[in-house]
Each structure stands twice: as structure tokens, then as C-alpha cells.
Amino acid sequence: MRMAKSVCSVLRGTNTLTWSRLRTEIKHFHISRVCMAETQQNKYNQWTVPFKLKDPEYDLDYILNPANHAAISENIANRKGVGNIDLVPDEKETVKRQFLKAVGEMPNTSHPQSPVGEEDAAILVDLVGHKRETSGDQPQLKTMLELGEHLGMLRTSNVSLTTGHTTYYFLDQLAMLEQALVKYTVDYLLQKGFQLVSVPDLLHPEIIESCGFKTTGDVAQVYRLDTARHPDLCLIGTSEMSLAGYFTDEVQKIKDLPIKFAAVSRCYRAETSHMEDDLGLYRVHQFTKVEMFGVTSNSSGEEGNDLLMELIDIEKTLFSQLGLHFRVLEMPTTELGAPAHRKFDIEAWMPAKQFWGEISSASNCTDYQSRRLSIKYSTDSGDLNHCTTVNGTACAVPRTLMAVCETHQNQDGSINIPSVLQKCMDGLQVIIKSDCVPKLSWIKSNKLKK
């Protein structure tokens, strides 16, 4: 009977069966049965081995085919109603989602010249300007917070009454200086062929995730709206996210590339650092930034790197004209984040606290973002390829303003305004203490009487 069943199974799996092959199959069946019997006789402890049945091999092609759903449901109803096809997950889609999730969490490739290692493995590429130093007979330089408080134009204390401690108020001429930095930067970018774009501050989390930034988990720095009251939206951490989203599901013509966008926006970040150097203006929950974003082709494989170098040259010119002392670093692999293939940071010398502070970065993300957002370009022959995206910070206002004020301060606490900013401030050359700023005396909350 068992041999007959085996033969039947052979017959069912074969379209054409010769007698020669049938005899061979029967012979193999007989030999395998003999070998199995001998093996069982030699294993005295076979009953102590846990029983393990292979996983069932269901006909998933039939079960998961939507065209068979009604027939399966009807059959279940006709068979005492045991089973529920609606409870069976779409295994193919589940596997597909798991696959896409796993692939989506993988970082971009690393450039061959990117140093491997931690932050201290960064390579010094360029050093620009001269370091501001003080001699022994000169008073110590003031920090940005001390300068702002002396001038009466910066408030970082008592801000928790409104927003929390990692924020600030610029007043009077410091507020003007902020706007001057933005205008100076935008004017220069327009001369370099950038198109100015006004971007939304709210984005769907899928767009932000596709750009390579986490919106959930312990490492997420993105603010998310309350989904119980609003749609699932996030505040942008940089206008790079909004600019990348602008090109989603778009196809550009290769003759129109590269496209260079610039945006001025507020940036919102849930910073968690409590280091002394990070307090005040260096790490804040919201700030203004001018961002550069480029979309280019990948026909030769060098377009992205060429555009990246162009953005770095722009950054160096902007900061040089502000009279800053800064260094350009090629960042190591652990500092690239998920989307960057290659990244350069620019750190300015903060003379009061004697440390290098990052004021800008530029990254070539190759096709990391474009593959997730379906950003493509058409070649002259009509082929569709994924674009390369490149981004760079033209001016992160608080940190740049911090470097400018500390570098150009005078002994009396006044600040010399760089010449390139003076035309944006009605010709004003020096920021001095003003009597126009209201003098406020705050009562500490822990002394308030109930």
C-alpha cells in the first residue's frame, strides 16, 4: 500500500512517465526504505530525541490569491464554518514589508575617501582665517551670552516661562543682525544660480523618514503633532526635508539639471544635550536657517560630488567674508548619519570659550533619498534614473551670529559689524548698548508666594 502511494505521488508529479523511469523510482524507494530500517535499528535512543515536524507547505499561491477569496469563504461556510480567510495575513505583503523595512534601515554607501571611525577620525581639509586671541594685558573675551546681556539685546534667562530653557530672544540690533545674516546669505545664493523657495514647516513623517531622519524612537529629534487631535504630521528639523519632499514622484529632464534650491525656514529639534557648551544659542529647540539643496543626475557618477564641492566653496566664501576663523573637516563614517554618502563639516572658532563649534555641513546623499521619494530624471534617450541629492547649510543663524559676535567684539562689549552685513543694517557699523531696550526685572518663580 505504501509503495503504491509513493508511485502515485510520482505519477501525479510527472506529465510523461516511461517504464524505465518508473522502475528506477520503485528501486530507489525500496533502497531508501531498507536504509531507513537499518538506521532505526542502530539508533537505540531514537525515542529520546524530541519530535520535530517540518513546517507545513501550504498552497499559499492559491490561498493568498484575491481571486480565490470568495470561493474559499464559501467553502469554509459549507464546511461547518471552521476557519476564517479574513484572519489570514497576506504573507507575501508581510514579507515584502519586512524586506522593505530592513532595507530602508540600512545606511547609504560610504565614499572611499570617508575616514572610517569615530568623530576624532575626521580629516582636516582646510583652515581659513586667523584665530582671535587675547594677550595677557587684555581683558578676557566675553561669550555671546555675556555680550548679549551687556548690550541688553539677548535674553536666554526666564524663557522657560514661555517656551523652555533651550531658546532665546533677540532684541533691537541683534534681531537686525539676524535678518542681515539671512539677507546677505540669500543675496549671495541668488547670484550663484539658486532659486529661493518658501517651504512648509509641517510634513508627513514618511517624507522625513525617507530623507533619513527618524521620527520615532529614543534617537528621534523630530517634534510630532498629537495624532489624537491632528493628522499625523511633524515639524521639520531642516528645510532639506521640505525641499526633498517638493521633488517627490517627479521626473526632471536631464537638460534641466542640476536644480539648486535655497530656503529660509525655522528648524525645530528636540535637542537633549545638557552640556555647558550647548546651553544658550549653540543648541536650541528652534532656530532660523538658510539651506541649500541640489538635485542632479548620475550619468558620469561625479555629478553629486561636483555639486557637493560647489556648495562647500559657497560656504567657505560666505564665512570668509564674515571674517570668521574656521576649519573644514571630512567627516568619518560614524558621523555620516543614514543618508550621507560623503559629508563635510565646517567648524568656526569660538574665541570666548576657546572651542571649535560646528556652524555648517554639506552632504552628498547620492540616490538614498531619491529612491525612497521616487525622484527621477529622464535621459536624452528616454531612460529613467534616480537623481542624486546634495544639501548644505548656508547659514545656521544662532551659531553663525555667535561666531560673528565673539570674533568681532571690542573691549567695551560693543560689536563691530562685518562690512558685508552693514549694507543690510542701514550702514550701521557697530552695535553698542542701547537705551531703547526695555530693562526688565524678573521675579524668580521659586520665590513667588502662593
Side-chain angles (χ1 to χ4, degrees):
M1 178 64 71
R2 292 178 180 174
M3 183 181 296
K5 288 184 177 179
S6 176
V7 172
C8 290
S9 65
V10 174
L11 289 172
R12 283 197 300 270
T14 309
N15 294 329
T16 303
L17 185 65
T18 63
W19 283 110
S20 176
R21 181 178 174 187
L22 179 58
R23 285 194 300 269
T24 301
E25 294 292 345
I26 294 174
K27 181 179 180 180
H28 287 170
F29 174 80
H30 177 71
I31 293 174
S32 63
R33 297 295 294 176
V34 172
C35 293
M36 184 182 299
E38 293 177 351
T39 303
Q40 289 175 347
Q41 290 176 2
N42 294 331
K43 289 185 178 180
Y44 298 103
N45 62 342
Q46 61 176 339
W47 295 108
T48 63
V49 178
F51 179 79
K52 181 67 172 69
L53 189 67
K54 290 183 179 180
D55 292 333
E57 297 179 353
Y58 301 120
D59 189 356
L60 296 180
D61 289 335
Y62 172 78
I63 295 173
L64 300 178
N65 188 341
N68 299 327
H69 186 278
I72 295 174
S73 297
E74 181 180 358
N75 183 59
I76 290 174
N78 294 336
R79 302 287 290 269
K80 297 185 178 181
V82 178
N84 187 348
I85 183 62
D86 294 325
L87 296 180
V88 177
D90 190 338
E91 185 63 22
K92 289 183 178 179
E93 285 301 315
T94 300
V95 172
K96 179 181 178 181
R97 287 193 296 270
Q98 292 174 345
F99 171 79
L100 293 177
K101 182 177 184 296
V103 174
E105 291 178 347
M106 295 172 59
N108 199 349
T109 58
S110 300
H111 192 275
Q113 295 183 21
S114 296
V116 178
E118 302 293 331
E119 185 176 4
D120 56 5
I123 297 176
L124 179 63
V125 176
D126 199 1
L127 190 64
V128 182
H130 302 283
K131 184 180 292 187
R132 171 73 185 268
E133 299 283 8
T134 57
S135 59
D137 58 344
Q138 292 179 327
Q140 185 176 358
L141 294 174
K142 291 181 174 64
T143 67
M144 180 61 200
L145 297 185
E146 293 169 338
L147 287 169
E149 290 177 359
H150 167 75
L151 296 170
M153 300 176 187
L154 171 65
R155 200 179 102 202
T156 58
S157 60
N158 288 91
V159 292
S160 58
L161 297 175
T162 54
T163 61
H165 71 281
T166 51
T167 189
Y168 58 91
Y169 283 87
F170 287 143
L171 289 81
D172 198 40
Q173 294 171 5
L174 278 187
M176 293 173 59
L177 186 59
E178 176 183 35
Q179 298 304 314
L181 277 170
V182 172
K183 189 175 189 313
Y184 154 71
T185 304
V186 170
D187 287 348
Y188 185 79
L189 294 181
L190 293 178
Q191 296 175 19
K192 291 297 182 178
F194 284 78
Q195 182 177 349
L196 188 61
V197 182
S198 178
V199 299
D201 290 342
L202 291 172
L203 290 178
H204 289 293
E206 290 82 0
I207 298 294
I208 296 176
E209 294 272 354
S210 296
C211 289
F213 303 93
K214 292 292 184 182
T215 61
T216 58
D218 296 335
V219 297
Q221 291 186 336
V222 177
Y223 287 108
R224 203 159 186 160
L225 270 61
D226 183 2
T227 55
R229 303 184 59 185
H230 305 281
D232 193 8
L233 295 171
C234 297
L235 289 169
I236 61 171
T238 168
S239 57
E240 171 194 342
M241 303 169 178
S242 301
L243 293 172
Y246 177 87
F247 291 96
T248 299
D249 289 335
E250 296 284 343
V251 177
Q252 310 299 325
K253 295 180 180 179
I254 192 171
K255 66 181 182 65
D256 297 327
L257 300 178
I259 297 174
K260 297 185 292 185
F261 277 0
V264 182
S265 75
R266 295 292 279 177
C267 304
Y268 305 89
R269 299 184 185 180
E271 300 286 3
T272 58
S273 175
H274 299 287
M275 296 175 59
E276 182 181 355
D277 289 338
D278 293 345
L279 299 179
L281 296 180
Y282 194 75
R283 288 196 188 277
V284 288
H285 287 314
Q286 57 185 28
F287 59 95
T288 301
K289 184 172 72 157
V290 184
E291 181 76 1
M292 300 178 288
F293 187 82
V295 175
T296 187
S297 65
N298 190 36
S299 299
S300 69
E302 292 299 321
E303 290 87 348
N305 192 64
D306 292 342
L307 185 55
L308 175 64
M309 296 302 142
E310 180 182 344
L311 298 193
I312 294 172
D313 286 340
I314 290 172
E315 293 170 347
K316 290 168 62 177
T317 300
L318 287 169
F319 302 140
S320 295
Q321 293 181 162
L322 291 174
L324 301 181
H325 176 50
F326 60 90
R327 63 185 185 183
V328 183
L329 303 174
E330 173 140 18
M331 301 309 291
T333 51
T334 58
E335 296 296 309
L336 296 180
H341 172 68
R342 192 179 192 185
K343 178 183 176 185
F344 292 84
D345 280 1
I346 293 182
E347 296 181 344
W349 179 247
M350 307 293 181
K353 285 195 173 183
Q354 300 281 296
F355 81 100
W356 294 98
E358 179 192 339
I359 61 172
S360 179
S361 67
S363 301
N364 177 10
C365 296
T366 60
D367 59 356
Y368 182 96
Q369 295 172 334
S370 64
R371 285 187 177 276
R372 288 158 173 77
L373 293 172
S374 188
I375 304 173
K376 300 180 180 179
Y377 69 93
S378 59
T379 64
D380 294 334
S381 60
D383 295 331
L384 293 181
N385 297 320
H386 288 94
C387 293
T388 291
T389 60
V390 181
N391 65 81
T393 302
C395 181
V397 171
R399 293 187 181 184
T400 305
L401 191 145
M402 179 179 174
V404 167
C405 291
E406 290 192 8
T407 299
H408 299 296
Q409 64 178 288
N410 300 308
Q411 291 185 16
D412 62 357
S414 62
I415 301 171
N416 296 325
I417 301 174
S419 58
V420 292
L421 300 180
Q422 292 176 12
K423 63 180 180 180
C424 303
M425 297 187 67
D426 296 329
L428 187 67
Q429 298 180 356
V430 183
I431 297 177
I432 60 175
K433 194 171 185 178
S434 173
D435 295 331
C436 299
V437 179
K439 295 178 176 59
L440 303 176
S441 179
W442 295 94
I443 302 174
K444 292 185 178 180
S445 58
N446 58 359
K447 292 185 178 181
L448 291 175
K449 295 182 179 180
K450 295 181 178 180

